[in-house]
């Protein structure tokens, strides 16, 4: 007994239910479709061998937690924070810097960006330079701030 069939019988929805069941049967005969299921054969993490980078990032995170704990304890005891000895952990940055605009990208993104950036004619002077100016300067007609 199919309740969905009885529930949809005599309605416009019955047509769509029949089409959906037909597609399901058709797909079942073809076998599992990778495009339908969203699965692919790529390994998790982009397929690149990450190496020991995770360990350095983990250590950096743990050091930040230890430093934050020291600060919290010092504030609770009333000790001046500037006198605390903090752990120095070198920053882990595995991104690639663009030689043209000095922005940093992931390896795969940098491979796409750098050739495009090399041919860009109107390059920004510095990243975020317009944002620091406070919006002062020439504006387009009708686009000014109010």
């Amino acid at each position: 007994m199919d309740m969905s069939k009885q529930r949809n019988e005599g309605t416009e929805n019955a047509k769509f239910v029949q089409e959906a069941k037909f597609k399901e049967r058709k797909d079942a005969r073809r076998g599992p479709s990778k495009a339908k299921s969203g699965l692919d054969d790529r390994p998790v993490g982009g397929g690149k061998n990450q190496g020991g980078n995770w360990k350095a990032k983990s250590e950096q995170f743990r050091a930040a937690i230890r430093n934050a704990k020291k600060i919290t304890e010092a504030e609770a005891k009333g000790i001046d924070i500037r006198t605390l000895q903090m752990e120095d952990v070198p920053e882990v940055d595995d991104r690639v810097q663009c030689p043209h605009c000095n922005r940093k990208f992931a390896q795969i993104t940098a491979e796409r960006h750098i050739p495009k950036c090399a041919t860009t004619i109107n390059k920004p002077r510095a990243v975020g330079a317009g944002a620091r100016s406070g919006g002062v300067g020439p504006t387009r007609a009708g686009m000014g701030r109010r």
Side-chain angles (χ1 to χ4, degrees):
M1 181 168 180
D2 189 2
M3 289 303 295
S4 64
K5 185 176 180 181
Q6 288 183 348
R7 185 174 51 246
N8 293 319
E9 194 172 294
T11 65
E12 292 179 15
N13 194 31
K15 176 183 167 186
F16 298 109
V17 171
Q18 285 177 342
E19 288 177 8
K21 286 185 179 183
F22 175 75
K23 287 181 182 178
E24 286 176 11
R25 285 190 214 123
K26 188 177 176 182
D27 289 343
R29 278 186 260 141
R30 285 189 196 166
S33 172
K34 290 183 180 183
K36 277 274 191 199
S37 65
L39 300 176
D40 56 13
D41 293 332
R42 290 181 291 170
V44 177
K48 300 278 183 180
N49 186 1
Q50 297 285 329
N53 195 20
W54 67 270
K55 196 168 188 175
K57 287 181 180 180
S58 176
E59 184 55 38
Q60 179 185 11
F61 177 70
R62 290 174 187 219
I65 296 294
R66 286 191 294 266
N67 288 339
K69 189 175 182 180
K70 285 181 184 179
I71 291 171
T72 305
E73 290 173 355
E75 286 176 342
K77 293 178 183 177
I79 301 173
D80 188 17
I81 298 172
R82 293 174 281 190
T83 61
L84 295 177
Q85 294 290 326
M86 296 293 175
E87 293 183 38
D88 289 332
V89 179
E91 186 174 331
V92 177
D93 193 7
D94 56 351
R95 298 176 297 168
V96 177
Q97 187 170 9
C98 174
H100 308 289
C101 65
N102 296 327
R103 292 165 53 198
K104 292 183 178 181
F105 298 95
Q107 179 66 37
I108 296 171
T109 310
E111 290 171 4
R112 290 188 315 241
H113 169 81
I114 293 172
K116 290 180 185 176
C117 191
T119 60
T120 302
I121 296 171
N122 293 327
K123 293 186 177 118
R125 282 180 260 168
V127 176
R132 281 188 240 119
S133 66
V136 178
T139 60
R140 291 186 197 172
M143 297 295 287
R145 296 183 183 199
R146 295 180 188 188

